[in-house]
Amino acid sequence: MSEPADGSVRAVIVALHGAGMNAGYFDGQAHPDVSLLALGARLGYTVLALDRPGYGASLGCFPRGQGLAAQAATVRAAVAAFTARHAPGAGTLLLGHSFGAKVALAVAADSGVRELLGVDVSGCGRRLAMNPGAADRGAGRALRRLNWGPLGLYPMETFQVSRTVVAPMPEREVGTVEGWARLSAVILPRVQVPVRLTFAEHEAWWRHDDDAIADLTARLSAAPRIVVDRLPHAGHNISLGWTARAYHLKALAFTEECAAYARHTAPR
């Protein structure tokens, strides 16, 4: 967690990491420009990077992890408790990467999060670009390509310090990966806040051609606004690469846009 030094909070950013990572993903230590926690606090935001169920600090409570619906309920309760203590009255943006994006969308679909401003998603589409079993058959090399893309997209120290960020994928989470197309057909139409979707130039897990994007955005039928962004010179793990600062700044700008929308549409 990080907070503004002067205690004045513009909004709360709740960041949800992807599969095989922990909350340290959003506090990259390879370069000063990479950390969302540092940037957010410096610009007036409280940033909470959660260890999702089965990762990091939550491993003792959820040794086998949780499926998507159960994770959404757990995260929803954690966010409500956190904002009540640390930033009552401040709006909240859910920022999710990869599997964390699915959780963020599931939380928003049945909100329960007071003053939810919007959802910012990266590294997650609706249609997989590859056979899920292909990564296993190709072992380390295939996984590196899928998760990272060209290694030159990241600061040199990334692959040394990332050892503290990488984590095993919990058992109950593994079983929900291939079911996302089915689950998303139910979840996405219930999201009623603005959504921003970012796809890295070298995203290899998910299709992000025009047809795939059209299918994805069409499912977000209740969202009042959908923004689709493409990030050049980036791989799947956007928040650890050289373009992390650009992505994070855009996410914070989107938070401000969502806050303005919420003020404009609030009952008078």
Side-chain angles (χ1 to χ4, degrees), residues 52-55 62 64-75 99 102-103 106-107 169-177 180 183 187:
R52 293 191 294 100
Y55 293 90
F62 304 100
R64 297 175 60 207
Q66 288 185 310
L68 184 58
Q71 281 198 50
T74 299
V75 169
F99 197 99
K102 302 175 187 179
V103 178
V107 171
M169 189 174 180
E171 175 187 344
R172 286 179 176 161
E173 190 166 293
V174 172
T176 66
V177 171
W180 175 238
L183 292 169
I187 290 169

Side-chain angles (χ1 to χ4, degrees), residues 140-163:
R141 191 170 186 177
L143 280 174
R144 280 195 298 274
R145 181 184 66 82
L146 291 165
N147 289 331
W148 299 96
L151 301 187
L153 300 173
Y154 303 87
M156 187 179 301
E157 293 81 4
T158 299
F159 305 99
Q160 297 170 345
V161 299
S162 66
R163 295 172 187 172

